[in-house]
Amino acid sequence: MTSRGIAPLAALLLLCGPLRAQDPYAAQRDLMVRTQIEDRGVRDPEVLRVLRTVPRHLFMPEEVRKLAYEDRPVRIGYGQTISQPYIVGFMTELLAPARNHKVLEIGTGSGYQAAVLSALCKQVYSIEIVPELARSASATLSKLGYRNVTVRLGDGYRGWPEQAPFDRIVLTAAPPQIPQALLDELAPGGKLVAPVGGSLLGQELVVVDKALDGQLKQRSVLPVMFVPMVHQ
Ligand code: SAH
């Protein structure tokens, strides 16, 4: 490297040093993305970039924060869990989010998946059925500055007709079948990703594509285990 190249590099290191020092979890997060997500085949550079930036630990209750970057789902209270990092990465890549997309999420939980989508899309609408989770996820998201996410307390089986249609829909709780209201709220050319299956065992992660003429095409991509999507 020439001496002309060293000065800007030193300035950059000086700038980055204190920023990274403020987040003691940054190194753990980098390692999580590399070993749990990238090495297992998630390649979308934007998805990987966002997963490196969203502070997953801040979406968890303090007692379990030390588990935030481990290769597993973590309990967030009220019988619910935040999905394993790989599953979040894999589902986000399957969803193929873009800057101009309006996205609906069913099952806000901790708000972590909504934050990831918020950094990749234009607007995120998220529905949560447990009042305490809807409240705390909403508070976390606004505290961390994710301004393009709206959380609503309600039953995801009914969808969000006032905001439909959606370019992308993601379910993070498993219904026995994909609710018709959600298929109706998917825009032509849209994509829906959901765990589907009545019991804990035997769920499949399913991708539904809606063609421009409204035709639906469905494929299963992975056996999974999500909390059930409950009825109010
Ligand atoms: N996306 C979440 C993971 C949530 S776990 C995250 O990133 O943390 C699934 C969530 O779906 C739970 O919080 C559960 O309360 C919620 N849920 C279950 N049935 C629901 C329904 N019918 N409508 C909306 N949310 C539901």
Side-chain angles (χ1 to χ4, degrees):
M1 185 182 293
T2 64
S3 58
R4 277 176 62 213
I6 289 174
L9 184 66
L12 194 70
L13 285 174
L14 274 175
L15 261 176
C16 292
L19 282 181
R20 287 183 69 88
Q22 278 169 17
D23 183 355
Y25 290 92
Q28 280 187 54
R29 199 160 49 241
D30 279 349
L31 193 68
M32 168 193 89
V33 173
R34 189 153 43 78
T35 60
Q36 298 175 36
I37 302 176
E38 205 172 357
D39 286 358
R40 288 182 185 147
V42 173
R43 289 288 139 78
D44 184 319
E46 269 297 278
V47 172
L48 295 171
R49 181 187 65 77
V50 166
L51 290 169
R52 281 197 174 88
T53 60
V54 179
R56 183 172 157 92
H57 59 287
L58 296 180
F59 289 87
M60 297 191 181
E62 248 175 271
E63 327 71 91
V64 292
R65 232 165 239 180
K66 58 179 184 306
L67 305 175
Y69 297 100
E70 290 192 7
D71 192 12
R72 51 171 281 184
V74 177
R75 290 190 182 284
I76 52 171
Y78 310 96
Q80 305 305 330
T81 55
I82 176 169
S83 303
Q84 179 190 9
Y86 169 66
I87 291 292
V88 176
F90 183 60
M91 286 176 79
T92 308
E93 184 175 61
L94 279 176
L95 211 53
R99 291 265 161 237
N100 59 342
H101 283 166
K102 186 173 176 182
V103 183
L104 174 66
E105 179 193 30
I106 307 299
T108 319
S110 67
Y112 174 66
Q113 172 79 73
V116 169
L117 291 170
S118 134
L120 294 162
C121 303
K122 187 165 166 199
Q123 195 69 42
V124 180
Y125 295 90
S126 188
I127 305 176
E128 172 55 52
I129 206 163
V130 176
E132 292 83 355
L133 290 175
R135 213 175 304 128
S136 69
S138 185
T140 307
L141 287 160
S142 60
K143 196 168 81 189
L144 295 175
Y146 294 97
R147 307 247 173 271
N148 57 345
V149 185
T150 311
V151 176
R152 179 166 105 171
L153 174 63
D155 182 354
Y157 281 98
R158 300 202 189 111
W160 197 322
E162 303 83 355
Q163 293 298 341
F166 298 97
D167 303 296
R168 297 291 185 261
I169 299 180
V170 62
L171 281 70
T172 63
Q177 284 119 28
I178 301 173
Q180 187 59 43
L182 301 181
L183 293 172
D184 293 343
E185 291 183 6
L186 191 59
K191 207 185 266 295
L192 175 150
V193 175
V196 179
S199 58
L200 262 188
L201 296 174
Q203 293 175 13
E204 293 274 343
L205 194 61
V206 162
V207 180
V208 179
D209 284 291
K210 188 185 256 191
L212 293 177
D213 66 1
Q215 273 220 9
L216 298 172
K217 217 185 268 167
Q218 181 170 328
R219 65 194 162 102
S220 291
V221 289
L222 189 75
V224 286
M225 210 188 273
F226 277 74
V227 296
M229 185 167 161
V230 295
H231 267 296
Q232 215 160 29

